[in-house]
Amino acid sequence: MSTKKLWGGRFQEQAAAWVDQFGASISFDQLMAEEDIEGSLAHVKMLKHTGILSATDSDEIIAGLEGLRTDLAAGKLTFTVENEDIHMNIESLLTSRIGAVAGKLHTARSRNDQVATDFHLYVKNRLPQVIDEITTIQKTLVSLAEQNVTTIMPGYTHLQHAQPISYGHYLMAYYQMLKRDKERFEFNRVHTDVSPLGAAALAGTTFPIDRQFTANELGFASVYANSLDAVSDRDFALEFLSNSAILMMHLSRFCEELSMWVSHEFQYLELSDAYTTGSSIMPQKKNPDMAELIRGKSGRVYGHLMGLLATMKSLPLAYNKDLQEDKEGVFDTVKTVLPALKVFNGMLQTVHVNKERMQQATENDFSNATELADYLAAKGVPFREAHGIVGQLVLKGIQTHQNLQDMSLETLQQAAPQIEADVYHDLQSDVAVERRHSEGGTGFDQVKAQIAAAKEALS
């Protein structure tokens, strides 16, 4: 019994419908329809350029593909499970439109290099979108940092008050994380900007094709040097997922802190109503749901990375059907990351900073203890000894409910006679921040330098 499959010449039996359903990928890889038509157009133009196909046949196929592209943009194309994937669906639609000449399109090409090409194009087309959204957030961070150079907040280690810092300095830390994210995605472009087309199934082809021609048509910078590698490589997709996972981790860390900073216990920030939700039972609630969702969706992206790593880890060369599992995670990651970046930027642009509350939090703690230790070290006291002296004063302050700056000079001098009245100036939180002039530090001049460098880089 013959089969209607385009590849079914040697098959006598047809698969059951549920087997076809299990093996089909059209439910998700139709997202690459535009890329598939684009790749086919480049291929047939090459076949014409090299004389492998006649100009008459080539032009007829080109016209048919252009018609399909127009219909795709208008939402007029219908895909079927029977045709398995986007590649066979497009070829079937082309055949319906122009007849048997459509079968010549697949000359010197395999679905293996076709799908790899489509996937490269898909990722290549989305990387600039991700990079642009990251850049937008960087600009928002720089703008917000510039408004808050002299805003004082507690700096934390172990989620305990450590030393006072500039809120602008805090924001610029996330700018630097996103800078590294952007660099990773930029490098991802290098490995994505390579054409697999012409590798055929795995070994190349006997036809006199011109791979550089198709690469130029598709805007690829180069071609794969090895046909086995061309059809089996998914490093570019793994890089995209890995980069996305790191990016989402950075957003998640910020969102974790946002969720804390807007709580009643902190009240450092207030999010716009546009990025919060209420409770169905508690009328007073204003929940940072968008921040929590970004934090939650980071795990989704991690899962996609681990899924593709697990798929790839045991695959022999070259193409295997397992590689059909490479796309859904990438598609979903794109669908997750781009909205997350947009929402994150919106939250930042509309956040209200409670500057007074932030500074107050640095004046009712012992986050200026390092200032006193440094003060004594500058007076010639060995730092380890100064550390012990200040530690005893902190213990005394805890017991007497006094902050260091509230202790009398007599009390301070009993602990260390080197202490003089000028110590009270150094113990002020804004002074402590301003004086930290070391390169990359939280000193106001250093934060301004970071902002200036960021502005130059972003311009």
Side-chain angles (χ1 to χ4, degrees), residues 337-363:
V337 167
L338 287 173
L341 289 168
K342 289 179 182 293
V343 170
F344 186 83
N345 187 62
M347 285 193 299
L348 282 184
Q349 286 182 320
T350 55
V351 72
H352 170 71
V353 182
N354 190 342
K355 299 182 180 183
E356 296 77 14
R357 174 73 175 184
M358 281 187 174
Q359 179 145 358
Q360 286 170 5
T362 67
E363 294 171 351

Side-chain angles (χ1 to χ4, degrees), residues 5 14-24 81-82:
K5 300 290 186 184
Q14 290 185 357
W18 63 269
V19 175
D20 279 347
Q21 183 75 42
F22 181 76
V81 169
E82 288 71 28

Side-chain angles (χ1 to χ4, degrees), residues 213-335:
F213 181 94
T214 51
N216 291 336
E217 282 288 313
L218 294 170
F220 283 118
S222 61
V223 301
Y224 273 88
N226 182 287
S227 59
L228 288 169
D229 186 40
V231 297
S232 63
D233 170 43
R234 294 300 184 270
D235 289 358
F236 68 98
L238 284 166
E239 282 183 2
F240 177 77
L241 292 173
S242 175
N243 297 342
S244 297
I246 296 171
L247 168 64
M248 290 299 291
M249 177 268 291
H250 289 151
L251 298 186
S252 181
R253 290 182 72 182
F254 200 118
C255 287
E256 169 71 10
E257 291 177 320
L258 271 178
S259 298
M260 290 192 296
W261 295 171
V262 300
S263 69
H264 180 76
E265 286 71 20
F266 286 91
Q267 297 183 50
Y268 294 168
L269 304 172
E270 183 177 357
L271 292 173
S272 164
D273 288 356
Y275 296 94
T276 55
T277 64
S279 164
S280 64
I281 188 173
M282 296 168 283
Q284 84 283 7
K285 294 296 293 298
K286 184 177 180 181
N287 301 323
D289 278 12
M290 297 306 106
E292 292 171 355
L293 270 175
I294 292 172
R295 186 177 63 188
K297 286 177 183 292
S298 62
R300 184 189 191 103
V301 176
Y302 296 174
H304 293 319
L305 171 61
M306 294 310 299
L308 185 53
L309 283 170
T311 296
M312 296 296 300
K313 75 175 182 66
S314 300
L315 291 190
L317 290 177
Y319 184 83
N320 298 270
K321 186 66 168 177
D322 312 52
L323 287 174
Q324 184 169 292
E325 295 299 305
D326 61 355
K327 298 170 196 66
E328 283 185 279
V330 170
F331 295 162
D332 187 70
T333 295
V334 170
K335 193 171 69 174

